[in-house]
Amino acid sequence: APAVPGRPPVGHGAGRPGGRTGGRTPGMPIRDALDDRALAAAARPHTGRTRTVLLVALAAVVIGGAGAGIAALLMNGSGTDDDSGRNGRPSRSQQASDAKPTGGGRHGAAHPTAEVTASPSPGGTARVPAGYRFVRDPAGFALAVPEGFTRSYENDRVYYYSQGKRFRIGVQLQKRVPQGPIGAMRTADAEGPANYRGYRQNQVTETTHNGLQAGLWEFVWNGSAQDGGPRYTYDLSWDESGRMIDVWISSPLGSQTEAKRHFDTALDAFRLTGT
């Protein structure tokens, strides 16, 4: 029998005179002998009915723990995708608000903004140098404008303004006229004195744009009261895809060279995209 703590082991004669084995120690009272048997029985492994009771208790604990876990899953499993946005996920209403498209402004009315890209789409022939950005305008064309220029839509014309409107790039797509683009420029030149205060240094030149017949109109005028001085204008017109296209730039007279660079860059990248 296994040793009982605090008492000598039973059997093998340990602690008994003469090395006797089995029985009770001579001279030990009957009560003490009974205590030896009780202690030995308590030290033996549990078997039979006791083991059955222990197994039943253990199974009850395991089943109870599993049931609690399943109940927890049933209570929490349906709450991960509800409108309250628990578990770090956005709610349906938040997802819908995040997906709402944003739009730009038309001058005085709602109007989409131009799409800005770092470079022309594949197949384009535009060359966009450093300091410019390529934009797809919702009016149906694309061009390059200096970085920092902002878009405005006024009287069926699209404008891209620098800060303070010192530089003004304008674009208009309109119906073709019987006299063609050169004739249209000459008519505008003849009406220049009536439309532009201090109209002078004016000329119309017959030219081409991407192999298409075009007219270039240049002039100086005094500018408006807000301009603070005379301005120089370049204006090119040509026919393409059944429409007459007009692209121009206006700038302070002292910035004519810079304005010509912006004008040429815009025209090099210009192309129709459709609406």
Side-chain angles (χ1 to χ4, degrees):
V4 177
R7 294 179 65 90
V10 179
H12 305 290
R16 292 177 172 82
R20 291 178 60 189
T21 62
R24 65 182 180 90
T25 302
M28 179 181 292
I30 295 176
R31 185 181 185 90
D32 290 342
L34 293 174
D35 289 344
D36 279 348
R37 295 175 184 177
L39 289 173
R44 289 197 298 271
H46 298 291
T47 59
R49 179 179 300 176
T50 302
R51 180 179 298 175
T52 302
V53 172
L54 291 175
L55 291 175
V56 170
L58 178 61
V61 172
V62 173
I63 294 173
I70 294 171
L73 290 175
L74 291 175
M75 291 176 65
N76 297 330
S78 61
T80 58
D81 200 27
D82 62 6
D83 286 342
S84 63
R86 291 191 292 268
N87 298 331
R89 296 181 60 181
S91 66
R92 293 189 183 97
S93 59
Q94 289 172 331
Q95 293 171 5
S97 64
D98 291 342
K100 288 180 181 177
T102 58
R106 176 175 177 172
H107 210 68
H111 195 77
T113 58
E115 177 186 349
V116 180
T117 56
S119 60
S121 60
T125 59
R127 297 182 299 275
V128 181
Y132 293 84
R133 59 192 177 99
F134 185 78
V135 297
R136 291 176 177 271
D137 196 276
F141 62 87
L143 80 169
V145 300
E147 293 180 354
F149 276 42
T150 57
R151 183 184 188 273
S152 179
Y153 187 79
E154 306 168 21
N155 301 320
D156 296 327
R157 295 170 174 83
V158 176
Y159 290 92
Y160 285 90
Y161 293 133
S162 67
Q163 187 174 6
K165 297 185 179 181
R166 293 184 65 252
F167 294 92
R168 307 166 190 169
I169 298 175
V171 180
Q172 185 179 23
L173 308 183
Q174 54 191 317
K175 293 182 179 180
R176 298 178 61 173
V177 295
Q179 64 269 35
I182 298 176
M185 293 289 96
R186 288 172 178 161
T187 299
D189 177 51
E191 297 173 350
N195 296 326
Y196 300 93
R197 185 170 56 90
Y199 184 77
R200 60 192 183 274
Q201 299 181 23
N202 49 302
Q203 61 177 336
V204 174
T205 305
E206 184 174 351
T207 183
T208 60
H209 176 70
N210 292 338
L212 302 172
Q213 190 180 42
L216 176 63
W217 178 28
E218 302 175 58
F219 64 92
V220 176
W221 67 296
N222 291 346
S224 65
Q226 292 78 26
D227 291 329
R231 299 182 65 83
Y232 198 97
T233 297
Y234 292 96
D235 191 342
L236 184 71
S237 182
W238 73 96
D239 288 343
E240 183 177 352
S241 299
R243 287 174 287 185
M244 187 170 73
I245 303 169
D246 204 12
V247 179
W248 67 92
I249 189 170
S250 174
S251 74
L253 183 59
S255 303
Q256 178 182 350
T257 302
E258 186 178 357
K260 186 62 164 60
R261 183 172 69 251
H262 295 337
F263 184 60
D264 291 342
T265 302
L267 288 172
D268 286 345
F270 188 94
R271 56 191 177 89
L272 296 175
T273 60
T275 55

